[in-house]
Amino acid sequence: MQLTIITDLNKCVGCKSCQVSCKEHNTTGVMGPVPDMDPYRDPDGMWWNRIVTMESGEYPNTSVLYLPKACMHCYDAPCVPVCPTGSSFKREDNGVVLVDYDTCVGCQLCLWACPYGVREFDENAGVVKKCTMCIDRIEDETLLPEQRQPACVQSCPTHARTFGDLDDPESEVSRLVAERQGFGLLPELGARPAVHYLPRRPSPSPVVPETLSDLLEERY
Amino acid sequence: MRPPWPLLLLTLLQGMAGGMAVTAALLPSPLPTAVVDGMLGIALIGAVASIFHMHRLQAALYVLRRLSTSWLSREVLTTGLFVAAIAVWTLIANIVGHTPEVVPSLTALLGVTAMFVTAMVYASIPAMRSWHGPLTVVAMMSTGLVSGAMVLDAVLTSIRAPVPLHTLGGILVGSSLCLTGFKALQARHFRTARDGNHAETGTGLPFGPYRLQDTGTTRPPYRTQTQVSAPMAPATRQILYLGQWLFLSLIPAGSFFWALSAPRAALFGAAAMVAGSFFERWLFFADATHSSRVWFDDQPKKVSRVAAGRSST
């Protein structure tokens, strides 16, 4: 089993509700591992899920992308074998990559080994922390089955995120990845991320400056 | 990235001590006891500095758990053994007086092993595009070997030891030139890593240029992540690389030829070499490119080399 989150980049509108709900869930409750020492004056504190907004292309052929970026829970997670104490580990039963805070020595080598820059160092506790895929929620049997999913998936207003088992060919996430050609980030680094993104649909034909005025006249 | 000072000191001083141990093992006569004590001091400072890089010392008892996969775990073991070997050497030299030949040889072997393993910690991280590859190992080990040999030579010359090392000047100058070559190749590798880090595969958007509008919070790079820092200005980079070349190669090599007529000049050369090594190691960390930089920076559009009529190499 490999639990994963699939994000449809066509549906994501960059509202950051997943970013905020991640912070909200993980700073409260019993665990509360995300430190938030000075939330009103220091907004660059720890975030396990960040929405990167990237613009690409040149006018008039430009495009804006909202990319929710958290731990990719890679099949070949590079952060796991580099850890000298074994505190970074990948669970065999569900594929989630976790950190054992009790044995983490705080050397931060896993921060460098992670190709996606999604691990964060907690200066107060002296340990590295990261997205847990809300393992406390998905294994909480007191919750209703439909509620056993990560906070970022539950809070998405456009249902851009789907949670499931990527190793199960019958699952929704497997179907989406197969049918919509889901892709992982930075595949050239060989980490084999479990988290996939569904690509943007093809944009209309490129507009070149020579035909721009004709097109505008035609449209308006 | 932001250079972590404990690691800078560890890699530099461990390499220097390793270079001294290897050179000492090649010498026909035993080292004076004070020099062995000094070597132990250098290695110990490096080892102690590395402790400051750990933030939870209570978990340090677990650091040998992952010897099978983690180069950092192996580094702790090999560097520990190397420092222990120098300590044994120091004890024998101070208490017994006569050091058996096997002791310097074994220490040199452990030193080279520790240097190799330390270099592999950095060379084996694919996400650190500037470091990933064998050049890191070659350049890091060469820096350690040459700087250690030059420091030992200067010390032996200054205390008028019976076998001054500058009789091996040709070898040292040759090694220094090799180091210059390795560093030039590494600078090229750093540039390739910097230019080859594209946002196409990091975003799925096929057409550049890529402009970062929002990193998710307000201020990149994130305070708690050391692998990415503000990019260095090209002019600053050029000046720093020029300074590295000057201190790491030109001044030490020149002073070595000067030392043939005035032996005290070896001290000047060794001092320049030590300064150059610090320079080199600082740049090694500060100019490194991490793959996650694609989400931290704007990426300029690169013109087609073919269309511009330039060489493709």
Side-chain angles (χ1 to χ4, degrees):
Chain A
M1 181 190 260
Q2 174 63 63
L3 295 178
T4 188
I5 297 170
I6 307 297
T7 306
D8 186 343
L9 297 177
N10 296 288
K11 289 183 181 174
C12 179
V13 292
C15 68
K16 298 190 183 179
S17 68
C18 55
Q19 182 172 330
V20 175
S21 62
C22 167
K23 182 94 165 175
E24 191 276 334
H25 174 70
N26 288 298
T27 46
T28 54
V30 181
M31 289 176 67
V34 177
D36 210 354
M37 298 301 170
D38 197 1
Y40 301 106
R41 283 190 299 178
D42 184 16
D44 68 342
M46 186 180 287
W47 296 85
W48 285 354
N49 181 26
R50 297 178 195 253
I51 315 306
V52 175
T53 308
M54 188 79 87
E55 185 188 37
S56 81
E58 286 177 299
Y59 177 80
N61 301 311
T62 55
S63 173
V64 174
L65 174 82
Y66 303 107
L67 187 78
K69 191 164 70 68
C71 177
M72 305 286 162
H73 299 279
C74 309
Y75 280 94
D76 297 331
C79 53
V80 172
V82 300
C83 177
T85 63
S87 64
S88 277
F89 63 101
K90 186 172 175 69
R91 276 181 52 165
E92 285 183 18
D93 56 342
N94 57 18
V96 176
V97 176
L98 294 170
V99 179
D100 178 0
Y101 303 144
D102 290 335
T103 56
C104 177
V105 77
C107 68
Q108 303 176 55
L109 187 60
C110 55
L111 256 81
W112 300 356
C114 172
Y116 307 101
V118 291
R119 287 184 162 237
E120 307 242 353
F121 183 62
D122 182 344
E123 292 155 318
N124 299 291
V127 298
V128 170
K129 294 180 173 178
K130 61 176 275 299
C131 157
T132 61
M133 208 176 263
C134 290
I135 194 81
D136 56 321
R137 286 175 73 101
I138 60 181
E139 293 193 334
D140 186 352
E141 293 183 359
T142 62
L143 293 175
L144 295 171
E146 60 270 22
Q147 289 179 336
R148 291 179 209 163
Q149 50 183 335
C152 57
V153 176
Q154 263 208 328
S155 67
C156 181
T158 62
H159 295 281
R161 285 161 92 81
T162 312
F163 172 69
D165 176 13
L166 194 61
D167 281 352
D168 175 10
E170 305 297 321
S171 68
E172 178 71 0
V173 288
S174 294
R175 187 188 63 77
L176 283 170
V177 169
E179 289 182 1
R180 305 268 303 275
Q181 300 182 1
F183 67 97
L185 302 180
L186 301 178
E188 67 273 26
L189 293 177
R192 295 205 296 146
V195 168
H196 280 66
Y197 297 86
L198 302 181
R200 303 281 286 272
R201 292 191 184 91
S203 53
S205 305
V207 180
V208 294
E210 289 76 26
T211 58
L212 181 62
S213 54
D214 296 343
L215 275 173
L216 286 173
E217 278 178 16
E218 192 178 300
R219 192 169 294 170
Y220 301 105
Chain B
M1 67 177 291
R2 280 168 268 172
W5 289 101
L7 294 187
L8 195 149
L9 280 177
L10 165 71
T11 55
L12 202 65
L13 298 181
Q14 181 224 56
M16 198 177 287
M20 289 175 79
V22 170
T23 315
L26 295 174
L27 285 177
S29 59
L31 281 188
T33 309
V35 180
V36 185
D37 294 344
M39 191 161 62
L40 177 65
I42 290 172
L44 270 179
I45 293 171
V48 170
S50 70
I51 292 172
F52 290 97
H53 191 61
M54 292 187 285
H55 290 80
R56 274 186 83 247
L57 278 178
Q58 60 267 46
L61 70 155
Y62 305 118
V63 292
L64 297 179
R65 266 186 181 177
R66 281 270 181 87
L67 283 172
S68 58
T69 62
S70 170
W71 283 102
L72 185 56
S73 214
R74 294 168 194 161
E75 184 194 28
V76 174
L77 180 69
T78 51
T79 303
L81 286 174
F82 174 48
V83 176
I86 306 178
V88 169
W89 186 354
T90 312
L91 277 177
I92 293 173
N94 280 288
I95 296 169
V96 182
H98 173 70
T99 311
E101 276 185 19
V102 69
V103 175
S105 304
L106 188 65
T107 308
L109 184 67
L110 287 171
V112 171
T113 309
M115 288 160 73
F116 173 76
V117 170
T118 296
M120 280 303 292
V121 172
Y122 303 95
S124 62
I125 303 175
M128 271 294 182
R129 296 192 172 213
S130 308
W131 299 347
H132 188 51
L135 260 178
T136 297
V137 179
V138 174
M140 204 177 252
M141 289 186 75
S142 306
T143 307
L145 288 170
V146 177
S147 64
M150 284 209 165
V151 167
L152 186 61
D153 170 44
V155 171
L156 290 179
T157 307
S158 63
I159 62 172
R160 299 178 197 283
V163 186
L165 192 64
H166 67 256
T167 51
L168 301 174
I171 297 173
L172 267 181
V173 172
S175 321
S176 185
L177 288 176
C178 284
L179 173 61
T180 309
F182 293 143
K183 289 310 296 178
L185 285 173
Q186 201 178 30
R188 188 170 183 270
H189 184 61
F190 270 52
R191 192 181 66 225
T192 309
R194 205 163 44 240
D195 295 345
N197 209 25
H198 292 305
E200 285 98 326
T201 55
T203 60
L205 295 174
F207 301 114
Y210 300 90
R211 293 173 294 279
L212 187 69
Q213 293 189 331
D214 184 2
T215 58
T217 51
T218 51
R219 281 178 299 178
Y222 312 129
R223 182 167 48 80
T224 60
Q225 296 188 337
T226 52
Q227 78 276 19
V228 175
S229 59
M232 204 179 281
T236 312
R237 184 180 290 117
Q238 277 184 354
I239 292 169
L240 291 174
Y241 272 98
L242 186 70
Q244 172 190 279
W245 176 70
L246 203 67
F247 280 98
L248 200 63
S249 307
L250 201 66
I251 297 177
S255 62
F256 214 94
F257 286 113
W258 182 21
L260 295 176
S261 55
R264 292 269 171 181
L267 270 177
F268 180 65
M273 186 74 199
V274 171
S277 303
F278 269 99
F279 225 100
E280 182 265 350
R281 204 48 49 87
W282 187 87
L283 264 175
F284 175 78
F285 286 108
D287 198 27
T289 303
H290 191 266
S291 57
S292 65
R293 183 178 282 282
V294 296
W295 299 294
F296 285 84
D297 276 332
D298 285 353
Q299 295 203 329
K301 185 181 181 184
K302 290 187 173 55
V303 295
S304 162
R305 300 185 76 98
V306 181
R310 283 186 285 161
S311 161
S312 60
T313 55

